[in-house]
Amino acid sequence: MLVVALALFDQEGRVLLQQRPPGKHHGGMWEFPGGKVEVSEKPVKALIREIAEELGLELDAAMLEPAFFAEEGTDPAIVLNLYTSRQPVGEPRALEGQDWGWFSLAQAAALPLAPMDRKLLSRFAG
Ligand SMILES: Nc1nc2c([nH]c(=O)n2[C@@H]2O[C@H](COP(=O)(O)OP(=O)(O)OP(=O)(O)O)[C@@H](O)[C@H]2O)c(=O)[nH]1
């Protein structure tokens, strides 16, 4: 299964993270916003769709830079492709009622992060 996510940075170098809903897999843990790529969907299009659904932000493919990936050897295996964007995009809105915030890399590392998101975050710090 392919999942795409976004590390969106603000002007101060803080990154946007959101909290997964309780009751879901890794519920209550923090993650980069994003979601599953549907069959026949282009990964960048899936990311643009997910960010619009979750945060009400209209991104453009040209704003998205492929960064790192992480994988989990579950069945089915999950590959999480992370993109970055550092362009101003306006004020996010939590359209799914989720908690979210801007965090320095140190603040982000102190949160309870979903496992692949933690691996990906560490790539920025290192
Ligand atoms: N972001 C993230 N997702 C993970 C990790 N491990 C893991 O199995 N996943 C799975 O990857 C998928 C992420 O897609 P999603 O954010 O759209 O998932 P979701 O729970 O909203 O699922 P849904 O669309 O079926 O309601 C989920 O199935 C989630 O359980 C992880 O470490 N980080």
Side-chain angles (χ1 to χ4, degrees), residues 1-3 20 25-26 29 69-81 113-120:
M1 176 170 70
L2 181 59
V3 176
R20 292 184 61 78
H25 190 213
H26 298 313
M29 302 185 109
F69 75 93
E71 61 187 12
E72 265 185 8
T74 44
D75 188 17
I78 300 176
V79 177
L80 201 170
N81 283 0
L113 294 167
M116 286 196 285
D117 299 80
R118 179 169 301 287
K119 285 186 201 163
L120 291 166

Side-chain angles (χ1 to χ4, degrees), residues 1 4 13-14 21 23 29 42 52-53 55 57-58 65-66 74 76 78 81 83-84 86-87 91 100 103 111 113:
M1 176 170 70
V4 287
R14 298 178 305 178
M29 302 185 109
K42 288 184 182 165
E53 287 172 7
L55 296 165
L57 298 174
E58 302 298 329
E65 199 64 40
T74 44
I78 300 176
N81 283 0
Y83 295 76
T84 56
R86 296 175 190 274
Q87 302 197 17
E91 190 59 23
W100 68 275
F103 301 94
L111 293 170
L113 294 167

